[in-house]
Amino acid sequence: MQTEEAKQKIKNSVGRAALVVFSILLQIGWIALLSLHIFRYDAALYALSVLVGWIVALRIYGMHMNAAYRFSWMILILAFPILGLSLYLFFGSQLSNMMMRKRFAAVNMELDDHLEQEPAVMERLRQQDKGIANQAYYTQRSGGYPVYGNTDVQFYGDTVAALEDLKAELRKAEKFIFMEYHAIEDSVAWRGIEDILIEKAAAGVDVRVFYDDMGSIGFLSKPFTKRLQAEGMQCRVFNPVQPVVHVFMNNRDHRKITVIDGKVGFTGGYNLADEYFNLTHPYGQWKDTGIKLTGDAVHSLTVIFFEMWNATQKEPDDPTPFLPQSDYQAREQGYVQPYADSPLRKESVGENVYQNLIKNAKDYVYITTPYLIIDDEMQRELTLAARRGVDVRIITPGIPDKKMVFKVTRSYYARLAAYGVRIFEYTPGFMHAKQFVCDDEVAAVGTINLDFRSLYLHFENGCWFYGCKAVQDVKADFDATFPVCTEVTSKYSVKGNLALRGWQLILRLFSPLM
């Protein structure tokens, strides 16, 4: 039960969010009215805007970016030149976040020196399975993230168990605690964590908390940051939401990371809000998953944390003191590769990790995602795998958190089902987990949804692992989840009526911009 103080904090944040939304809609409306005025009363200026629109559209067509994302912007600009160009300038153009690109590039240049692949680990993996090694090699070469041995992975199919283990490890912290989350709610789950953080900060542990303003805007108010700082912690907010059209607003920090003393790390799909641990039930039973890493691979999680932390301050911190040599001896002989994705880099590492898993699947590939809004290339990989005889299954929510997005998600079922992909909806409630498992060999768990926002616009992270018991645990989690799902494959294998299909096509046309 939330206290009156907690309710008031949420109320204040929701009011700020409403003000921001109203202000942005007002600005977009003003641009729309301006374009209408020019269209009616200044033919020469409108003709010029059409010409500029065609030039920009051709420029977008020639850019190295996702095809569906390109065409959505091109259609919007050509149909509504002034409005489309204005929105593209603020939300779509690479020029709009040029300063942030430079800042992140400088930070990553420094951090890349702290990510070195141990040749013996990669060679050992290559000797075991060259195809699997090639997947790890891609992520190491394109993203810079090494594959590690000497790491144990614990999988959590139940976020309540994950939360209890997180708190147990926080109590053991001696040097530092780093936490980076898309959403934090100032309520029951977080207060249990905060009590531990206060105790540790008082004992001299370096505690740092980093959260995304958009993700937490319905859960927190500004005094939250000051409260943590008053308790001896460092707390920062990523990309504060402002009541003006902001050039960097479209890029959010969607990562979920905790690092403790450089020895233990947590990540997965869950944020630090009550609904993720089924303390509240806004969308039925909430299903989410996560992992705990112990050993060498925690090194990468620490570096990933410092990417966002250092990019939000003028003088970046040196991560070296927080990257100790591990004396841990892992129980297993598997391979673990934490990785991150950024909208400011040309390479879509998160998407390509998923596609490599699908391409190399031999027997099965099982997937959970809260949103299924994918381009033709991802659809092709999924349907091609199914046509090769691979058992391809996707679990999506039974109760959605965003009804319009859920309509778009369902619009993709028909084509996938027609080619043999099996679609399941999680009947008890909302499926928020983002995970893949293939052939009892390899799995990926993290923050990356199968939608355009996660794959191209957000800062994300995940973890790929092979030859660990955790792979079997992920598979067992799927086996336990399928019986409580409703398979809708046959329902969507049959084409719907013409009006419904037309509406779905319109939704999908602009789905990359949602």
Side-chain angles (χ1 to χ4, degrees):
M1 191 74 176
Q2 291 178 337
T3 65
E4 288 302 317
E5 179 187 5
K7 289 180 180 179
Q8 184 63 33
K9 287 180 181 293
I10 293 175
K11 181 179 178 181
N12 291 341
S13 296
V14 170
R16 181 165 67 96
L19 174 63
V20 168
V21 171
F22 175 76
S23 300
I24 291 174
L25 290 177
L26 196 63
Q27 293 166 74
I28 293 174
W30 182 85
I31 295 171
L33 287 174
L34 178 63
S35 63
L36 181 62
H37 178 81
I38 293 173
F39 172 72
R40 287 181 175 177
Y41 301 107
D42 198 326
L45 189 56
Y46 188 78
L48 178 62
S49 69
V50 171
L51 177 62
V52 173
W54 273 98
I55 294 172
V56 173
L58 289 173
R59 168 61 180 154
I60 294 172
Y61 178 75
M63 293 175 66
H64 179 69
M65 65 167 64
N66 176 266
Y69 196 60
R70 287 202 312 265
F71 282 113
S72 294
W73 278 118
M74 289 170 63
I75 291 170
L76 183 63
I77 290 170
L78 293 176
F80 309 101
I82 297 175
L83 179 62
L85 285 169
S86 299
L87 293 178
Y88 178 71
L89 177 63
F90 284 113
F91 297 116
S93 172
Q94 293 185 355
L95 296 175
S96 65
N97 53 26
M98 185 63 71
M99 291 183 63
M100 292 302 296
R101 286 179 183 275
K102 290 181 179 179
R103 183 182 299 179
F104 272 85
V107 168
N108 285 318
M109 187 176 297
E110 295 290 334
L111 293 178
D112 286 348
D113 294 336
H114 297 280
L115 292 171
E116 294 185 5
Q117 176 63 60
E118 184 178 343
V121 175
M122 183 65 79
E123 181 56 32
R124 192 162 62 246
L125 177 57
R126 196 174 297 279
Q127 292 297 324
Q128 284 188 233
D129 190 312
K130 191 171 182 179
I132 294 291
N134 285 344
Q135 293 185 44
Y137 178 71
Y138 161 78
T139 306
Q140 189 276 321
R141 183 179 181 183
S142 300
Y145 301 103
V147 60
Y148 298 89
N150 192 39
T151 304
D152 287 321
V153 184
Q154 181 170 348
F155 171 77
Y156 300 101
D158 178 3
T159 51
V160 174
L163 179 62
E164 291 307 309
D165 273 12
L166 172 63
K167 291 192 288 189
E169 294 294 343
L170 290 173
R171 293 186 184 99
K172 300 176 187 177
E174 298 177 348
K175 297 179 180 179
F176 65 88
I177 297 170
F178 298 156
M179 306 187 79
E180 176 184 352
Y181 285 85
H182 177 65
I184 296 175
E185 180 182 10
D186 191 7
S187 191
V188 177
W190 169 256
R191 286 302 179 98
I193 293 170
E194 186 179 332
D195 289 343
I196 301 171
L197 298 182
I198 292 172
E199 178 184 337
K200 288 300 174 180
V205 174
D206 184 350
V207 179
R208 307 186 188 191
V209 178
F210 190 82
Y211 66 90
D212 183 82
D213 195 33
M214 180 69 79
S216 302
I217 199 167
F219 296 137
L220 299 178
S221 60
K222 289 184 178 180
F224 176 82
T225 301
K226 295 179 180 179
R227 188 179 82 212
L228 296 194
Q229 291 172 343
E231 295 290 353
M233 308 176 213
Q234 297 185 62
C235 183
R236 291 189 188 152
V237 184
F238 179 74
N239 200 0
V241 175
Q242 301 174 3
V244 293
V245 177
H246 190 275
V247 295
F248 195 49
M249 190 185 300
N250 217 22
N251 303 121
R252 311 311 312 182
D253 182 2
H254 198 241
R255 297 174 183 177
K256 291 98 178 171
I257 296 171
T258 293
V259 178
I260 303 165
D261 292 342
K263 299 178 180 180
V264 176
F266 290 83
T267 191
Y270 59 92
N271 288 295
L272 302 182
D274 286 356
E275 61 199 42
Y276 292 85
F277 308 103
N278 282 294
L279 296 172
T280 58
H281 299 87
Y283 311 106
Q285 184 76 13
W286 193 285
K287 171 64 177 175
D288 222 326
T289 62
I291 56 172
K292 177 177 75 173
L293 304 181
T294 308
D296 293 359
V298 179
H299 185 103
S300 281
L301 285 182
T302 307
V303 174
I304 291 169
F305 173 86
F306 269 103
E307 177 187 21
M308 304 302 287
W309 186 265
N310 282 350
T312 56
Q313 61 180 9
K314 293 182 179 179
E315 295 296 330
D317 291 343
D318 180 7
T320 305
F322 306 98
L323 298 169
Q325 290 293 322
S326 174
D327 56 1
Y328 182 77
Q329 293 297 317
R331 298 184 301 274
E332 296 190 87
Q333 300 298 314
Y335 299 86
V336 184
Q337 190 173 37
Y339 57 92
D341 204 354
S342 166
L344 305 181
R345 290 187 173 186
K346 292 182 178 180
E347 192 80 13
S348 299
V349 174
E351 179 183 37
N352 291 337
V353 167
Y354 284 165
Q355 289 193 354
N356 281 337
L357 288 168
I358 298 167
K359 287 177 181 178
N360 288 277
K362 299 179 288 293
D363 297 318
Y364 73 86
V365 54
Y366 296 163
I367 302 164
T368 61
T369 180
Y371 316 115
L372 184 65
I373 305 175
I374 51 180
D375 65 4
D376 287 344
E377 188 176 354
M378 182 65 78
Q379 291 180 70
R380 183 178 183 276
E381 292 299 342
L382 289 167
T383 56
L384 188 58
R387 294 168 71 185
R388 290 198 308 267
V390 176
D391 181 6
V392 182
R393 305 186 193 183
I394 302 174
I395 303 177
T396 62
I399 301 176
D401 65 335
K402 303 177 182 68
K403 291 184 178 180
M404 182 61 72
V405 175
F406 190 53
K407 290 181 184 295
V408 180
T409 287
R410 281 180 160 175
S411 75
Y412 286 85
Y413 289 177
R415 179 181 174 186
L416 296 174
Y419 287 98
V421 177
R422 298 177 66 184
I423 310 293
F424 297 77
E425 292 182 348
Y426 179 65
T427 308
F430 186 61
M431 171 60 70
H432 191 258
K434 312 95 165 45
Q435 59 187 17
F436 278 55
V437 65
C438 301
D439 302 335
D440 293 351
E441 294 180 338
V442 61
V445 174
T447 71
I448 308 171
N449 302 318
L450 278 178
D451 70 352
F452 287 90
R453 292 212 145 268
S454 269
L455 297 175
Y456 307 117
L457 298 177
H458 288 167
F459 296 89
E460 305 274 0
N461 75 281
C463 188
W464 174 100
F465 44 100
Y466 165 75
C468 310
K469 177 182 176 296
V471 175
Q472 306 302 321
D473 294 337
V474 176
K475 171 61 161 41
D477 185 64
F478 274 96
D479 290 339
T481 304
F482 285 128
V484 297
C485 294
T486 301
E487 184 170 3
V488 296
T489 309
S490 58
K491 176 181 177 181
Y492 286 91
S493 296
V494 181
K495 292 183 179 180
N497 63 67
L498 188 60
L500 176 62
R501 288 164 57 194
W503 172 239
Q504 289 178 338
L505 288 173
I506 292 172
L507 287 176
R508 288 173 58 178
L509 182 62
F510 294 103
S511 62
L513 308 182
M514 290 183 177

